[in-house]
Amino acid sequence: MPISIAAENNLRLSDLAPNQVQSEIRAMSVACSAVNGINLAQGVCDTDPPHAVVEAAVAAMHAGHNIYTRAEGIEILREGIAQKLASFNRLQVNPETQVLVTSGATGAMQATVMALLNAGDECIMFEPFYGYHASTLRSQRVTPVIVPLDAPDWTFDPERLRAAITPRTRAIILNSPSNPSGKVFTLTELTALAEIAIEHDLFVITDEMYEYFVYDGVTHHSLATLPGMAERTITISGFSKTFSVTGWRLGYLAASERWMPAISYFHDLVYVCAPSPLQHGAAAGLLALPESFYTGVAADHQRKRDVLCNALRTAGLQPSVPAGAYYVLAQTKNIPGNNGRERARRLLQDTGVAAVAGSAFFGSDASGVNRGEDLLRFCFAKKDEELAEAARRIANIRY
């Protein structure tokens, strides 16, 4: 029987799909694997997880914790998160009604956008931005509006933020400490941002995944603790980076009771719940690990940062030294190539070290040129011996 023309026309991609391509981060990871290189492209954080965290997860599997949990997460973990938020972030939340354990910070972001924003809304992001944030917005037909920060220190201009707000603006995404720049917003900057959010009645979605990765005496501040911000701020974090378990996909968020039922509903719809035994592992980490573990994370990664930045300087690839997170943006105009993608692949060809084109984290200027084409992003959350080898290879290149 012949197929009708109408039926054939129904077999097509969605309106969103044709404009989506593989993440440049993942593309470089694949290219790196093909040459058995050293992957400084993806934030995999391949240092060893704390023993207590892994053992508790394994024990939970053997104890039968292998079925769905309550949608919001297991009680002991939600209570541990609330205690951590109180002691570290100075944020008071009710673990029963204001904490949601999620399938990674990406799951938290997806559920939040689904619950709070509508198609056609605008959401402001600061540049350099994390590409997954922009893609999550677009997946819900929300328009990302880019507000550039000023290099090399990525300073925040409140008036530039004000100028970007329109009647369609509903929210701001704040990533501090930031991937990819390592920018840590100061209390003065956060106060100015909070005043604007209150003035224009905006949500602020904060991605604080790298909150323990701060250097040179810098302090991390949570926006939700500022006056007037608790109800309008959704605070997102997780365990992937702190406990070096990126493959576990385990995050969480804290929000007002007013928003939590809808956010929890959409997380349940897409993910059902975060992995049950892994929740037990994270809970054990929150309960068992001393304060020295967290200060040690910062000290260890500051040392790794300095190893990589010194190598980049030696190679003539001037780094923007990050105050937080575990990435470095470096100038790469002297590497042969017409754009960041070509330069990243040339560096991989010459050294076996993978980085990501800065264009993955920037928008275009008025002439249509991407503002990140002359940058590469490097991740330094690697085991010492591997990072040392990558640094040696980078330091020895000359272009």
Side-chain angles (χ1 to χ4, degrees):
M1 181 176 179
I3 300 174
S4 70
I5 298 298
E8 289 179 343
N9 289 341
N10 282 332
L11 303 179
R12 61 182 184 273
L13 293 171
S14 73
D15 292 340
L16 290 172
N19 295 319
Q20 305 308 310
V21 296
Q22 182 184 39
S23 158
E24 182 65 8
I25 298 171
R26 292 199 177 278
M28 283 305 301
S29 294
V30 171
C32 181
S33 179
V35 299
N36 197 28
I38 300 175
N39 188 359
L40 304 191
Q42 191 171 10
V44 294
C45 193
D46 63 358
T47 52
D48 292 328
H51 180 75
V53 172
V54 174
E55 290 304 307
V58 172
M61 294 179 197
H62 288 304
H65 297 293
N66 300 303
I67 60 175
Y68 299 138
T69 71
R70 170 179 164 175
E72 291 77 15
I74 63 174
E75 181 178 7
I76 190 173
L77 180 53
R78 286 183 285 106
E79 290 179 346
I81 290 168
Q83 292 170 13
K84 172 264 173 189
L85 289 170
S87 62
F88 179 76
N89 303 85
R90 304 295 186 261
L91 180 60
Q92 303 295 326
V93 298
N94 184 334
E96 184 67 19
T97 60
Q98 292 182 271
V99 174
L100 173 65
V101 181
T102 62
S103 292
T106 51
M109 181 67 70
Q110 181 80 20
T112 298
V113 172
M114 293 177 76
L116 302 183
L117 304 182
N118 293 318
D121 285 345
E122 293 178 351
C123 180
I124 291 173
M125 300 173 56
F126 297 108
E127 179 191 79
F129 53 80
Y130 179 44
Y132 274 53
H133 291 164
S135 296
T136 297
L137 294 175
R138 294 190 186 102
S139 76
Q140 299 304 310
R141 293 174 168 82
V142 175
T143 302
V145 175
I146 307 305
V147 173
L149 304 176
D150 292 323
D153 297 325
W154 313 111
T155 52
F156 165 62
D157 181 353
E159 294 311 309
R160 192 175 290 168
L161 171 58
R162 286 184 189 278
I165 296 173
T166 76
R168 294 170 57 193
T169 306
R170 291 281 313 286
I172 301 167
I173 291 179
L174 174 69
N175 182 202
S176 178
S178 167
N179 172 11
S181 69
K183 161 75 174 178
V184 180
F185 276 69
T186 66
L187 187 56
T188 299
E189 290 174 326
L190 292 175
T191 300
L193 190 156
E195 290 174 354
I196 294 171
I198 293 169
E199 176 186 346
H200 292 273
D201 197 25
L202 303 176
F203 284 113
V204 184
I205 307 167
T206 67
D207 181 344
E208 304 180 26
M209 178 60 74
Y210 299 95
E211 58 194 348
Y212 289 109
F213 297 82
V214 289
Y215 315 123
D216 303 318
V218 169
T219 300
H220 170 71
H221 299 281
S222 290
L223 186 70
T225 62
L226 272 59
M229 292 305 295
E231 183 176 20
R232 68 181 63 253
T233 303
I234 289 76
T235 303
I236 296 174
S237 191
F239 307 100
S240 295
K241 315 300 183 180
T242 307
F243 291 164
S244 299
V245 288
T246 54
W248 285 20
R249 310 311 308 132
L250 200 58
Y252 61 86
L253 65 81
S256 165
E257 296 177 12
R258 184 177 175 185
W259 319 121
M260 189 60 80
I263 297 173
S264 180
Y265 168 82
F266 283 109
H267 185 269
D268 177 37
L269 178 68
V270 179
Y271 304 98
V272 180
C273 66
S276 175
L278 307 186
Q279 292 189 49
H280 288 270
L286 287 177
L287 293 171
L289 295 173
E291 180 64 25
S292 59
F293 168 80
Y294 299 97
T295 56
V297 164
D300 189 41
H301 283 79
Q302 180 172 325
R303 176 180 53 79
K304 293 175 188 288
R305 177 201 68 177
D306 294 343
V307 167
L308 180 58
C309 285
N310 287 338
L312 290 166
R313 290 191 193 96
T314 300
L317 310 178
Q318 186 60 35
S320 177
V321 180
Y326 51 55
Y327 307 96
V328 176
L329 285 172
Q331 286 284 344
T332 57
K333 286 187 287 188
N334 53 339
I335 298 178
N338 295 317
N339 54 48
R341 290 167 58 93
E342 290 184 7
R343 293 182 187 121
R345 284 156 178 78
R346 176 61 184 267
L347 182 71
L348 178 62
Q349 172 189 313
D350 293 347
T351 67
V353 176
V356 181
S359 52
F361 313 102
F362 286 79
S364 299
D365 60 22
S367 62
V369 177
N370 186 287
R371 287 184 288 266
E373 289 294 8
D374 293 333
L375 298 171
L376 291 181
R377 189 198 75 171
F378 298 82
C379 171
F380 54 84
K382 310 295 291 184
K383 293 180 179 178
D384 285 345
E385 58 272 19
E386 192 170 29
L387 182 64
E389 176 60 19
R392 184 192 67 79
R393 296 184 189 183
I394 291 171
N396 285 334
I397 62 173
R398 295 293 184 274
Y399 290 111

